[in-house]
Amino acid sequence: MSIKSIAAKIFARKIHKQTQKWASNPVETQQKVFNDLIRQAKETQFGKDHNFNTIKTFEDFAKQVPIRDYEELKPYVDRVVKGEENILWKGKPLYFAKTSGTTSGAKYIPLTKESMPFHIQAARNAILSYIHETGKADFVDGKMIFLQGSPILEEKNGIKLGRLSGIVAHFVPKYLQKNRMPSWETNCIDDWETKVDAIVEETINEDMAVISGIPSWVQMYFEKLHQKAQKPVGEIFKNFSLFIYGGVNYEPYRAKFENLIGRKVDSIELFPASEGFFAYQSRNFGIKNEEGMLLLLNSGIFYEFVKADEFFKENPKRYTIGEVELNVNYVLILSTNAGLWAYNIGDTIQFTSLKPYRVIVSGRIKHYISAFGEHVIGKEVETALQEAMENTNIRVNEFTVAPQIAPQSGLPYHEWFIEFENEPNNLEEFALKIDNAMRKQNVYYDDLIVGKVLRTLVITKVSKGGFQEYMKSIGKLGGQNKLPRLSNDRKIADFFEKTEQR
């Protein structure tokens, strides 16, 4: 065991003790975060506009600060972008994380000197938690790769901006610099396909121990490695032992990954976003993560939760951490030390544990299907597909689901666009398995099938590489971009209908 791995174990024990302290006092921890946020923002323009100096309790805050999404907060953000100080948070931000917006074009999410360290600490603590729980630390001596956006930053009115993953690349600790790949030059390549090819060339003869990224894009890297070396990734990298991922559910990809790697490897699930780093997996790393991720309650973020089925009511009840229940679908609302206030990030979560507080990401409040009142969410379609694939050799590269409201004949249905790696012998039988799993999870969907409003779902096969082509067509290939699992319209479906008919 190296000095580096021994030191990592000692540090991991220290961080574990600190984590236990705040995790065992969740309500007090969140109250302290709340008080600090209000105190520090009293003299900002937002604080003055919302009478922060009169806020004594969360109830005061909820009355005075409405829930907003980016569009509604944009008048304040625009002033920050123009270079004004003390608008949403004291002073100016250090960076803007630039993300893709739906109606406003680019979104500029502020990162401040108070918020930025928590992004770095959370990623570090996730790995230290793994070391503490498993006792495994030898991987710290191997090479590590983080598939991420370009670290080249632009500047807007004196504030640097770029993709979050590119900004974070500037904060890699010195003790990891020698181990980290790819090279700075390769990381700066903007075109994703060119970048992955260059990463393959750089890494194929290295001792890669840790690989991190969004599963769909790591899959592309693995496929290119396999194609070049003509052997499994686990043979190319004999010491590859840890996969770190976030952004999407890993389970639909797990079977394909294990086939590409040629063996099982441990994995850590993260829940990061430009708006904050919210949670990470802290136990049971070698198996399917059903337990959820530890919600980070001491990271400069005050959380509120609104039940998803009440969210679009005029004044939905806003819950704090001490009021939440297990297995309820909540919209995640944030107030942060980057100056986001009662901010709807768009993600929905469910609590799997209340001691400590652990969550799973169940979907997006805007990504659902309810064309007939079925209220289908992302977690349900992912679970249904996973159940249908169990104990089979069927493997799926990617999928998305859309409603077919006006079929040429027969009842309406949900259409599943699936890119198979190994497809089923009987597509209709596989569709029925998925459908049965959906009906078990979602009573509304089951009622519509029983009542003959909907018929059994239909699978439409997508050609190999079809989803990459779709993401490329909308300018979102690679990086932090994720394919929506669900759409309540047929915009994505229309793309595949046109391309698969060519």
Side-chain angles (χ1 to χ4, degrees), residues 165-387:
S165 60
I167 293 169
V168 168
H170 292 262
F171 289 84
V172 175
K174 284 184 180 177
Y175 60 84
L176 287 181
Q177 291 285 8
K178 287 183 181 177
N179 298 55
R180 183 178 173 275
M181 297 197 78
S183 66
W184 186 265
E185 293 73 24
T186 295
N187 223 4
C188 289
I189 297 171
D190 208 36
D191 179 75
W192 186 253
E193 290 172 293
T194 306
K195 182 175 188 166
V196 174
D197 286 336
I199 292 172
V200 168
E201 292 297 328
E202 264 190 25
T203 58
I204 197 163
N205 295 313
E206 296 287 348
D207 177 24
M208 303 306 301
V210 178
I211 295 171
S212 174
I214 291 174
S216 52
W217 307 119
V218 175
Q219 179 179 304
M220 184 177 174
Y221 168 57
F222 283 175
E223 286 170 342
K224 286 179 179 284
L225 280 169
H226 188 270
Q227 190 177 8
K228 187 171 178 65
Q230 292 297 301
K231 56 185 178 183
V233 172
E235 284 185 33
I236 301 169
F237 306 137
K238 291 187 167 29
N239 291 313
F240 172 39
S241 60
L242 183 59
F243 173 49
I244 304 173
Y245 67 94
V248 298
N249 184 4
Y250 181 40
E251 293 315 312
Y253 300 94
R254 189 181 289 274
K256 175 73 188 289
F257 267 57
E258 288 176 357
N259 183 59
L260 282 166
I261 298 165
R263 54 184 166 83
K264 294 180 185 295
V265 297
D266 286 354
S267 59
I268 306 175
E269 183 177 7
L270 311 178
F271 185 11
S274 299
E275 294 85 352
F277 201 124
F278 310 125
Y280 58 71
Q281 184 178 354
S282 61
R283 297 198 332 182
N284 297 339
F285 300 98
I287 58 174
K288 179 179 176 182
N289 182 25
E290 292 180 329
E291 216 182 33
M293 296 170 281
L294 183 69
L295 187 64
L296 304 180
L297 301 174
N298 72 329
S299 295
I301 302 170
F302 178 74
Y303 299 97
E304 299 175 55
F305 312 91
V306 177
K307 291 180 179 178
D309 58 7
E310 298 176 359
F311 185 72
F312 294 105
K313 291 180 179 177
E314 192 165 336
N315 285 303
K317 179 168 171 53
R318 295 157 65 171
Y319 297 89
T320 56
I321 195 68
E323 301 171 298
V324 296
E325 304 168 64
L326 293 173
N327 305 315
V328 173
N329 209 33
Y330 291 104
V331 180
L332 187 60
I333 308 298
L334 316 168
S335 294
T336 78
N337 56 6
L340 301 176
W341 300 103
Y343 184 83
N344 170 21
I345 190 177
D347 286 317
T348 58
I349 55 104
Q350 293 178 5
F351 286 90
T352 57
S353 164
L354 303 182
K355 287 186 177 180
Y357 286 91
R358 298 185 192 277
V359 299
I360 57 169
V361 181
S362 53
R364 300 275 294 165
I365 193 65
K366 290 182 179 177
H367 293 169
Y368 61 91
I369 297 178
S370 199
F372 306 91
E374 59 270 47
H375 309 293
V376 168
I377 61 173
K379 175 180 175 286
E380 292 169 345
V381 295
E382 288 176 336
T383 300
L385 181 63
Q386 191 64 29
E387 279 187 26

Side-chain angles (χ1 to χ4, degrees), residues 101-158:
T102 49
T103 58
S104 61
K107 289 162 58 176
Y108 297 94
I109 306 299
L111 297 166
T112 64
K113 68 177 183 180
E114 288 81 13
S115 71
M116 196 66 222
F118 286 114
H119 285 271
I120 311 306
Q121 285 173 24
R124 179 202 70 188
N125 290 355
I127 296 173
L128 292 171
S129 181
Y130 171 81
I131 291 171
H132 179 80
E133 285 291 316
T134 65
K136 299 174 184 178
D138 289 345
F139 67 86
V140 300
D141 297 308
K143 297 280 187 178
M144 304 179 184
I145 188 167
F146 302 91
L147 291 178
Q148 56 193 188
S150 170
I152 296 175
L153 304 179
E154 303 170 50
E155 197 167 291
K156 206 168 183 74
N157 297 316

